[in-house]
Amino acid sequence: MHLPIAQEKHDSSALPLAGALAPPEPGDAVHERPRHPVSPGTLARARVFAEGLFSTEDGAPDPARIEWLVRELEDFLGRAGGNARLVLGACLFACNILAPLFIRRMPTLADLDPESRALALERVEQTAFGPIALGPKAILCMIWFEHPDTQRETHTEVSCLRSPGDSQ
Amino acid sequence: MNVTSGRRYAKPLELECDTVVVGSGSGGAPVAATLAEAGERVIVLEEGPHVPGPRHGAMRQSESVRHVWRDGAMTLAVGIGDSPSINVTAGRMVGGSSPLTGGVCFRAPEHVLEEWSSALSIDDLGPSQMQRWFDQVAKDIHIEDVPASLRSKSTALFVKGGEALGVKFDSMQRNTHNCNGCGRCNFGCPHEAKLGVDRTYLPRAARAGATIVSDAIVERVELEGGRAVGVSGSLLDGEYGAARSALRVRARRVVLAAGAMYTPLILRRSGLGRRSGSLGKNLTLHPSFRVMGRFDEPVRGWEGALQSAYSKHYEHDGTVLNSVFVPNGILAATMPGFGKHHAKHRALVGHLAMFGVMIHDEGAGAVWRVPFRREPLLTYKMTKRDRARVPVVLERMAKIFFAAGAREVFFPVFGLDSVTPDTLGKVDWSKIKGPKLECSSQHPLGTCHMGSSDAHSVVDPHGRVWDVPNVFVADGSILPTSLGVNPQWTIMAMSLRVAHSLAGG
Ligand SMILES: Cc1cc2nc3c(=O)[nH]c(=O)nc-3n(C[C@H](O)[C@H](O)[C@H](O)COP(=O)(O)OP(=O)(O)OC[C@H]3O[C@@H](n4cnc5c(N)ncnc54)[C@H](O)[C@@H]3O)c2cc1C
Ligand code: SF4
């Protein structure tokens, strides 16, 4: 039997082992691990939220960019753990129901056009309920800014391998 | 560094050693290295995965957050009363939170160590007695000054504004070597320049024969006849990384280093540490706030060392100003508005400078065990003294930004539009309640605090849990009070102190 490393190296008065340690690995490819499914309802509400958040003077954001964002969010939530899915899912659910009330509209955010969604969410943000809007806003913005087109548009291209001043 | 993954099992695992260390972060790693080098058989059990530095450094920021930050960075300490709710972040990987730090290293302030040694009657926590441990850590993790050339423009502007108002700044120290200022420290260092415990103490422990097992979660300390005989838990080898196969490690000694949010839960599940009634209480967070200034010129604050300068000018008021930057997306998220209003703000990101402030808080939080859930519930009630400090320091920071030439300043207040030099005085802070403040913390501490009597502390002056002879705690949870500065150096120094007393030296 292959002995655990801690015992191979030193002694000794070994206890009976119910298993043996596998050989060490160079490190996990964590992104290749299977990811937890994310509820379609959460993803649909995230899409509705994102369409409001990223709408502009020109109207709703590019559907392809939103599709990319939602797929990325699915990966994010599928890997970030049960608590993250619970918290973000709850925030999105609450925003979907509560936000329209702030602009005296019914029944859910999904029923509003992107501009009205933005207005409703803005109102939520201005109240003590602000944190429930910030959770999804933070995660969606972080991912949104990783899209190469956003980086080009906002002049925030990755500068990771550069020292200060190199880009000027 | 050799790490064995608990995911690769499909059957129960039982091991035996001299010391089992639970958690591989800033607290656990120095203990593992010290004891392994002293010839002990050491096993380190870590819940998170092993992601080597270069692989971590190659991730996008949101990838780092989803894979190795606990709960995708969505842990919240629920604010009570007029407290803000606080976003508390930590690492969940081999190396704990250490691979995520900005590298900032501060010795514990002398007055804090003096308070620990005199008020708590723990003689050898005094500044002169602790110096040897701080010096040892400085050597082990290569603490050096951040050269001014690595400062980001964001930091340089704030420092310029501060100095114009007579506020003195100093260069930070960090545990780095050959840093090129790429500025993504919180998401893994792509250049292996940041010398966290994953690059220092853990490899040393492994070289000295310690076994490091990732994806292995400890539930409780196993006791027999009033002594610990090891720990039990699970390997995370189930579907989607769920706990499945049983894990048991028999050991002469248990060292808990699962961090201030999780160590108290392990103790509670084991029925230990409850004598004083303070287990899980006394949580301090160093609540932190970020203020942003918008400049006409491009700032591109993400270029340059993430953290490089600080000011203790207002330390008498319990606040320390620390340079900081966050990913552009987070920067944008903290700007007010949705839709077209937010689009206007998003476009400004490259023109924003940011600086942070940290409150030297009084222990006002708690970690609670939630039935049927593994994650704790955190609560935080900011004391009146600390709460009163928030508007004062935020206004001071706005004035510094204006002195540096900022056109407008954004406060960390949900939904509040920017202020200009003309409108700064019109902000009615009395109307801004705690829940509207956007607050974060990277420093949960103090939930198993050390003391000289079992009537009001969880561990004794050597880190031993009062009610059992061979269970020790060596992580941020044992700090007796809040530090007021970034804690990793102090946690490592305290852990070395505990480890050397265990190794008998
Ligand atoms: C983003 C970020 C930036 C920071 N920047 C700085 C900085 O610049 N300077 C500074 O001084 N400090 C910084 N800190 C804080 C510093 O990293 C922490 O204070 C310190 O690492 C805490 O050490 P610890 O040993 O208490 O916990 P951790 O380092 O968090 O280690 C605890 C480990 O235990 C594991 N664990 C938990 N429960 C279990 C269980 N049941 N079984 C097995 N394993 C378990 C966790 O997964 C984790 O890996 C930062 C923290 C973060 C999150
Ligand atoms: S700024 Fe320096 S320490 Fe931070 S990630 Fe870049 S090279 Fe590493």
Side-chain angles (χ1 to χ4, degrees), chain B residues 27 46 48 86 188 214 342 373:
Chain B
E46 168 56 51
I86 304 178
S214 69
H342 192 246
R373 282 194 70 78

Side-chain angles (χ1 to χ4, degrees), chain B residues 21-30 45-49 69-70 88-106 174-175 186-187 197 213 216-220 257-263 266 269 306-307 374 441-445 474-477 485-492 495:
Chain B
V21 180
V22 180
S24 64
S26 306
L45 300 175
E46 168 56 51
E47 174 191 345
W69 289 51
R70 186 166 287 281
V88 185
T89 52
R92 182 182 168 275
M93 67 187 298
V94 170
S97 304
S98 184
L100 307 184
T101 69
V104 178
C105 292
F106 280 101
R174 294 183 311 160
N175 51 330
N186 291 154
F187 309 94
V197 298
V213 186
I217 190 167
V218 169
E219 298 295 339
R220 56 175 51 80
M261 293 191 276
Y262 285 85
T263 292
I266 298 174
R269 270 189 232 112
L306 187 78
Q307 298 188 268
R374 218 192 72 75
S441 162
Q442 288 74 40
H443 306 161
L445 303 168
D475 60 20
S477 70
V485 293
N486 307 49
Q488 63 168 342
W489 194 353
T490 307
I491 293 172
M492 292 183 209
S495 289

Side-chain angles (χ1 to χ4, degrees), chain A residues 20-22 25 75 126 160, chain B residues 8-9 62 66 182 373 436:
Chain A
L21 276 176
E25 299 172 341
D75 189 75
Q126 285 158 0
C160 168
Chain B
R8 300 196 37 207
Y9 283 86
S62 79
R66 71 189 82 167
C182 74
R373 282 194 70 78
K436 290 207 71 185

Side-chain angles (χ1 to χ4, degrees), chain A:
Chain A
M1 179 165 64
H2 180 359
L3 284 177
I5 296 157
Q7 295 196 352
E8 277 177 344
K9 182 152 171 65
H10 303 276
D11 100 41
S12 90
S13 50
L15 284 170
L17 298 167
L21 276 176
E25 299 172 341
D28 251 331
V30 277
H31 57 282
E32 284 168 12
R33 291 180 172 190
R35 66 169 192 232
H36 202 283
V38 181
S39 101
T42 296
L43 295 177
R45 287 187 277 274
R47 183 185 299 274
V48 165
F49 188 102
E51 284 167 353
L53 173 58
F54 298 114
S55 63
T56 63
E57 297 279 5
D58 305 328
D62 172 12
R65 189 101 58 102
I66 291 288
E67 183 56 32
W68 173 85
L69 181 67
V70 173
R71 294 282 75 86
E72 273 288 323
L73 182 75
E74 183 177 11
D75 189 75
F76 185 98
L77 290 178
R79 300 185 186 285
N83 226 24
R85 283 188 290 280
L86 185 77
V87 172
L88 207 86
C91 286
L92 286 166
F93 184 82
C95 284
N96 198 38
I97 304 283
L98 280 182
L101 303 178
F102 281 79
I103 55 166
R104 298 171 195 282
R105 300 275 290 276
M106 295 277 270
T108 67
L109 209 53
D111 299 304
L112 307 180
D113 61 80
E115 201 177 333
S116 310
R117 287 179 207 168
L119 189 63
L121 288 166
E122 211 159 79
R123 293 280 161 77
V124 175
E125 188 181 48
Q126 285 158 0
T127 69
F129 293 101
I132 65 169
L134 181 73
K137 186 178 175 184
I139 301 297
L140 289 168
C141 274
M142 176 164 54
I143 298 173
W144 181 261
F145 265 78
E146 288 175 346
H147 193 286
D149 292 346
T150 313
Q151 294 185 339
R152 252 193 314 279
E153 288 155 17
T154 51
H155 308 287
T156 54
E157 297 86 347
V158 177
S159 57
C160 168
L161 299 178
R162 296 195 210 133
S163 298
D166 279 4
S167 63
Q168 261 106 63

Side-chain angles (χ1 to χ4, degrees), chain A residues 160-162, chain B residues 57 99 101-103 150 174-195 302 304-307:
Chain A
C160 168
L161 299 178
R162 296 195 210 133
Chain B
T101 69
L150 284 185
R174 294 183 311 160
N175 51 330
T176 52
H177 183 56
N178 289 335
C179 163
N180 78 351
C182 74
R184 56 157 286 159
C185 317
N186 291 154
F187 309 94
C189 174
H191 311 291
E192 302 207 279
K194 189 173 63 184
L195 300 177
W302 54 92
L306 187 78
Q307 298 188 268

